[in-house]
Amino acid sequence: MSEDEGDGHAESGRRTHVSIQDGDFHVDGRPTCEGRTFEGIDVEGLLFNSRMIQALFDDDNPETRDRWAYPDTGEWDAERNVSEFVDALSTYREHGLHAVTVNLQCGSPEGYSDEQPWFVSGYEPDGTLKSGWTDRLRRVLDAADDLGLVVVLGLFYFGQDDHLDDEAAVKSAVDNALEWLHDEGYRNVVVEVNNECDINYDHEILGPERVPELIERVRSHEREGYSYPVGTSFSGGTAPTDGVVAASDVVLVHGNGVDDPDRIRELVCETRDLPSYDGQPIVFNEDDHFAFDAADNNLRAAIESGASWGYFDPGEGDYEHGFQSVPVNWGLSTERKRAFFETVAEITGADE
């Protein structure tokens, strides 16, 4: 990826431009949290984020679609879902959030699921993009661009990649998504090839050994010297492979399942100790541990280690809770949500 802040910015006609400079995130030419320390911790250049994976959600399986009905209408409504998400973005930004993670195959709409019979995918079986999904994605990216927000855009999810016909369809999906992003001129996007590449993918190219091929494929889509920063993630508590780090502009790790904050610190150290590590930013973009008022917690462990941290609230299966269980209440509707955003506001200085 080009590290020239202005590269393609004016030409794209877009307001928000994310880049990586010496391992720090810059937005519109300036590091995030510029000059900011929190309780002695340097947070300049970090990307505080939240997993909002269902922003684009829709289900093409008529046998499961009714599961996602809103309690007040008794019906699922993809338009309502994305509209309410877009409306909430300004609240997130006001609390100092820098980025949201969404995905073109979303994530489990029940938080955690052993089986996933629904059909949730932004692609036709041959990898062609579905127009309804790109319409919703455009609304999300436009709103984020207006607010100065970065979007971590995932391309694949292990519960849904089986809906793509074959490896050629996977490659076609990557090409189609990247060409669409370039055609639209977005510069506020970081690409996450797939969520947790080490879990149960049907296509071998989406697994840890071969996913670097797709990371390089994303980077090969370059226009006027600009390519999208890209990486992929591993399951909670798992350090990335040397091959994935070698191919990546950003190293995405997960903290879900990690109950001891010291393990978060170890993950950062293990990543930096890899032979291929070359100063890329390390970003936790999924962690379902909270305890924000505790003396030590996963968020604090990450930022003390110089890594960015992201909130993952799977919910408890009802409308008010979480940001992952569908239908989603995108508001700050629980004490846990409010605690996270208040913590981010305090760390970033957004509450000052």
Side-chain angles (χ1 to χ4, degrees), residues 115-180:
E115 296 182 358
Q116 300 196 38
W118 36 86
F119 185 1
V120 177
S121 180
Y123 312 104
E124 300 290 354
D126 66 354
T128 301
L129 289 167
K130 295 178 181 176
S131 61
W133 284 72
T134 54
D135 288 346
R136 292 193 294 278
L137 179 57
R138 182 181 293 109
R139 292 181 60 188
V140 169
L141 295 180
D142 284 350
D145 181 66
D146 288 343
L147 291 165
L149 273 168
V150 175
V151 175
V152 180
L153 176 62
L155 304 184
F156 305 107
Y157 173 63
F158 61 81
Q160 298 297 312
D161 76 296
D162 60 314
H163 294 298
L164 290 158
D165 283 339
D166 50 26
E167 187 171 301
V170 172
K171 293 177 179 179
S172 179
V174 170
D175 295 341
N176 290 331
L178 268 294
E179 289 304 298
W180 183 88

Side-chain angles (χ1 to χ4, degrees), residues 251-271:
V251 181
L252 300 170
V253 286
H254 288 177
N256 44 307
V258 178
D259 295 325
D260 183 354
D262 281 337
R263 177 59 187 150
I264 297 294
R265 297 179 176 93
E266 290 172 359
L267 278 171
V268 176
C269 289
E270 288 173 15
T271 300

Side-chain angles (χ1 to χ4, degrees), residues 74-94:
E75 296 181 354
W76 164 246
D77 186 342
E79 172 62 23
R80 173 178 172 178
N81 178 60
V82 72
S83 294
E84 291 181 352
F85 176 72
V86 166
D87 289 345
L89 285 175
S90 59
T91 298
Y92 307 156
R93 188 70 189 98
E94 288 164 4

Side-chain angles (χ1 to χ4, degrees), residues 226-298:
Y226 181 84
S227 62
Y228 288 94
V230 57
T232 198
S233 61
F234 284 73
S235 56
T238 303
T241 62
D242 197 51
V244 164
V245 171
S248 299
D249 300 303
V250 56
V251 181
L252 300 170
V253 286
H254 288 177
N256 44 307
V258 178
D259 295 325
D260 183 354
D262 281 337
R263 177 59 187 150
I264 297 294
R265 297 179 176 93
E266 290 172 359
L267 278 171
V268 176
C269 289
E270 288 173 15
T271 300
R272 291 188 176 134
D273 285 344
L274 290 169
S276 63
Y277 181 74
D278 192 30
Q280 301 98 315
I282 299 171
V283 178
F284 288 84
N285 71 324
E286 182 176 336
D287 194 336
D288 60 359
H289 291 78
F290 316 111
F292 300 115
D293 59 348
D296 198 14
N297 55 56
N298 286 12

Side-chain angles (χ1 to χ4, degrees), residues 187-202:
R187 295 293 183 266
N188 62 329
V189 174
V190 173
V191 174
E192 178 180 25
V193 170
N194 53 335
N195 177 74
E196 299 183 339
C197 68
D198 54 328
I199 296 185
N200 298 328
Y201 277 92
D202 285 77

